[in-house]
Amino acid sequence: MDRRTFLAAAALSVLGLTATPLALKPSFASTAPERLVKAVKEKVGVDLSSIKETDKIMIQAPTIAETATAIPITVESSIPVDQVEKVWIFADNNPVPYVLDMTVTPLSGKVFVSTRIKMGSTSNVRAILKLKDGSYVMAAREVKVTVGGC
Amino acid sequence: MSLIGTGILRVPKEAKKGEVFRLQMVITHPMEPGTRKDAQGNLIPAHHLTKLVVSYNNREVTTINMGGAPSTNPFFAITVLADESGVIKIDYEDNKGGKWSKDAEIKVV
């Protein structure tokens, strides 16, 4: 191996190393557990893969859960309340992924719900919103769970 | 006396008209999801809340349906738009037929 090919190989391997984390970052549809896909189909009524991601939903949750039996989760959205019909929350890896759903009315003032949930293992917490125009949007946030609480 | 079903509903004493205030509640309930096993390996039967309805002067604010995932003695917080003085009421029920309710007054200025 001469110097030129060595440098080219080195550059490629460095590129490979830096590129891997991006490639490994889970995309929603491919990593979704089967029972989550089933639960979404049953509760929301549409395919998980057809739901668009949005940055208008804020999920507040701890990065690492201290107690997996009561993880505080807050779901909030900047989408005006009169455009939203319903909110669902799912915990991807739980034995029963469905957590809750809630209706939203103009009396709610804004899209906001806060609760504490149990989680079995590290996974995404996912919020799905049904909008008045019939479309669905979602957001997810990972919570690391060291000792399961299910 | 069993404490199951006892609720605490926290409402601000006063709210300005048009203000969006936060409503907090805690309900005493085991919230057993029905997927856990006891020490002998027997499945613990499910016993959890299924429905929580919040109403404001008899108008529905929100209906929350849930599975067994919320924590034991679950806490919920939602927002409500203050428009008139009156009563905020929560009605909740579990999968074993238990039904309870709790109310609180709010003054809107």
Side-chain angles (χ1 to χ4, degrees):
Chain A
M1 193 188 283
D2 63 12
R3 186 168 173 270
R4 185 162 299 176
T5 50
F6 172 75
L7 281 179
L12 269 178
S13 62
V14 167
L15 201 71
L17 276 178
T18 48
T20 341
L22 281 176
L24 283 178
K25 198 180 168 196
S27 88
F28 279 127
S30 60
T31 56
E34 203 173 301
R35 56 172 179 269
L36 172 78
V37 176
K38 235 167 112 182
V40 170
K41 184 86 192 158
E42 185 191 326
K43 295 286 179 186
V44 185
V46 291
D47 282 320
L48 181 67
S49 51
S50 69
I51 303 173
K52 277 199 299 273
E53 283 171 50
T54 178
D55 52 4
K56 285 183 177 160
I57 304 171
M58 283 80 76
I59 301 175
Q60 272 176 44
T63 320
I64 297 173
E66 281 171 28
T67 45
T69 51
I71 302 169
I73 304 287
T74 302
V75 173
E76 219 173 327
S77 175
S78 57
I79 303 171
V81 72
D82 51 1
Q83 290 173 25
V84 182
E85 204 175 310
K86 215 166 174 186
V87 180
W88 287 266
I89 302 178
F90 292 91
D92 287 16
N93 271 348
N94 273 11
V96 183
Y98 166 72
V99 176
L100 60 85
D101 62 70
M102 81 180 262
T103 54
V104 177
T105 62
L107 268 181
S108 300
K110 64 175 176 176
V111 181
F112 176 92
V113 61
S114 177
T115 186
R116 299 199 180 115
I117 67 168
K118 298 192 275 272
M119 278 174 75
S121 57
T122 299
S123 76
N124 281 331
V125 170
R126 189 179 299 264
I128 302 178
L129 259 67
K130 185 187 184 188
L131 305 182
K132 281 270 162 66
D133 62 9
S135 63
Y136 295 85
V137 287
M138 70 174 175
R141 186 182 168 135
E142 195 189 45
V143 176
K144 285 201 169 66
V145 176
T146 44
V147 182
C150 259
Chain B
M1 195 192 111
S2 165
L3 279 174
I4 291 179
T6 315
I8 301 169
L9 178 61
R10 208 155 124 199
V11 177
K13 272 202 189 106
E14 237 179 50
K16 286 197 187 79
K17 199 175 162 68
E19 185 189 329
V20 175
F21 64 87
R22 204 172 277 196
L23 193 69
Q24 291 177 315
M25 56 212 113
V26 174
I27 298 161
T28 308
H29 204 283
M31 293 302 279
E32 201 52 63
T35 52
R36 291 201 272 211
K37 287 179 176 153
D38 63 12
Q40 281 77 43
N42 305 314
L43 215 58
I44 306 171
H47 187 202
H48 59 82
L49 294 170
T50 52
K51 197 175 177 188
L52 169 75
V53 182
V54 182
S55 50
Y56 181 10
N57 284 353
N58 292 324
R59 296 166 301 167
E60 186 190 310
V61 179
T62 180
T63 301
I64 299 178
N65 294 303
M66 66 196 101
S71 67
T72 305
N73 302 334
F75 159 87
F76 296 100
I78 60 157
T79 50
V80 181
L81 178 71
D83 62 352
E84 57 188 37
S85 298
V87 179
I88 294 204
K89 191 173 177 216
I90 55 170
D91 289 280
Y92 44 101
E93 50 192 76
D94 70 10
N95 66 336
K96 286 192 175 170
K99 275 188 184 156
W100 305 274
S101 72
K102 179 96 187 170
D103 50 36
E105 273 177 39
I106 174 109
K107 201 171 140 196
V108 175
V109 290

